[in-house]
């Protein structure tokens, strides 16, 4: 089953190879093997680079690679990757679209890793707001969010469960910031 739900274009054979590598990276990360996930995402990124500089598949792959690197504690390297994906998405999508929320979520995780809990909370809550609005207004967006929720060791579930998991993570960030965790 493909993990992406938005219409994406790339040559079929190249996209098929990308999809296999991307899915393997997601599976590795879901199983806690971030080093193996990183390797698969790097291979997928090489394929996706052939799709075009602003292709959503490339941004998605770079974002997931950044999260795999972040999960291994390499914050500076993750920062470059995640912000590259965010910059790409800002050129292609409006600020209220789920793809932007995905990047905001990843940037929020970076802020959290750096101990900037108030900044992290703002970004995580903004991502939740964007995703909640998308779910309410567009069933295709909800399907895409469900797919994204499973990415890179994702949050599981979809719709309300997905939103609740994101809010829970944002609230746990706030608890750490205030020393109540």
């Amino acid at each position: 089953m493909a993990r992406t739900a938005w219409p994406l274009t790339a040559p079929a054979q190249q996209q098929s190879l990308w999809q296999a590598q991307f899915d393997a990276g997601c599976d590795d990360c879901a199983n806690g093997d971030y080093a193996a996930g990183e390797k698969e995402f790097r291979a997928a990124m090489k394929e996706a680079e052939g799709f075009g500089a602003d292709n959503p598949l490339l941004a998605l792959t770079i974002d997931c690679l950044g999260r795999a690197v972040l999960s291994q504690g390499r914050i500076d390297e993750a920062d470059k990757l995640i912000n590259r994906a965010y910059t790409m998405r800002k050129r292609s999508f409006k600020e209220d679209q789920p793809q932007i929320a995905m990047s905001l979520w990843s940037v929020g995780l970076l802020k959290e890793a750096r101990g900037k809990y108030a900044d992290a909370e703002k970004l995580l809550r903004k991502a939740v707001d964007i995703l909640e609005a998308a779910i309410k207004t567009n069933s295709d967006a909800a399907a895409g969010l469900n797919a994204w929720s499973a990415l890179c060791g994702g949050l599981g579930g979809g719709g309300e469960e997905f939103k609740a998991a994101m809010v829970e993570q944002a609230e746990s960030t706030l608890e750490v910031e205030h020393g109540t965790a």
Side-chain angles (χ1 to χ4, degrees):
M1 173 185 233
R3 295 178 189 256
T4 54
W6 290 283
L8 305 166
T9 59
Q13 184 178 12
Q14 194 176 11
Q15 187 170 337
S16 178
L17 179 57
W18 169 85
Q19 188 75 59
Q21 293 165 330
F22 183 83
D23 287 351
C26 291
D27 291 343
D28 289 337
C29 289
N31 291 321
D33 190 348
Y34 300 106
E38 176 186 355
K39 181 180 175 185
E40 293 292 345
F41 288 134
R42 286 193 187 281
M45 184 174 73
K46 286 182 182 178
E47 289 300 318
E49 285 171 341
F51 303 161
D54 286 329
N55 187 286
L57 293 176
L58 179 57
L60 175 65
T61 305
I62 293 169
D63 190 63
C64 289
L65 172 59
R67 290 181 61 182
V69 169
L70 181 63
S71 294
Q72 296 174 74
R74 299 187 340 249
I75 298 171
D76 291 337
E77 183 181 352
D79 190 305
K80 290 176 186 172
L81 292 163
I82 288 169
N83 280 300
R84 178 180 170 199
Y86 185 32
T87 299
M88 292 169 67
R89 286 175 168 153
K90 287 193 296 188
R91 286 192 301 258
S92 300
F93 298 102
K94 294 179 183 176
E95 202 166 307
D96 64 346
Q97 291 185 289
Q99 296 86 343
I100 296 296
M102 291 176 197
S103 281
L104 291 173
W105 188 262
S106 295
V107 173
L109 294 177
L110 279 170
K111 298 289 186 187
E112 181 180 35
R114 294 188 185 280
K116 297 181 179 182
Y117 301 113
D119 293 340
E121 180 192 11
K122 287 176 190 174
L123 290 167
L124 298 174
R125 289 191 185 276
K126 185 173 180 179
V128 168
D129 290 345
I130 292 168
L131 297 173
E132 181 179 42
I135 289 169
K136 287 180 181 177
T137 61
N138 184 336
S139 61
D140 290 338
L145 297 174
N146 291 340
W148 182 64
S149 72
L151 291 176
C152 309
L155 302 167
E160 288 302 311
E161 294 160 345
F162 177 66
K163 177 186 152 205
M166 292 183 86
V167 170
E168 183 179 329
Q169 186 166 350
E171 288 172 348
S172 73
T173 297
L174 181 60
E175 290 171 7
V176 170
E177 175 187 88
H178 294 292
T180 60

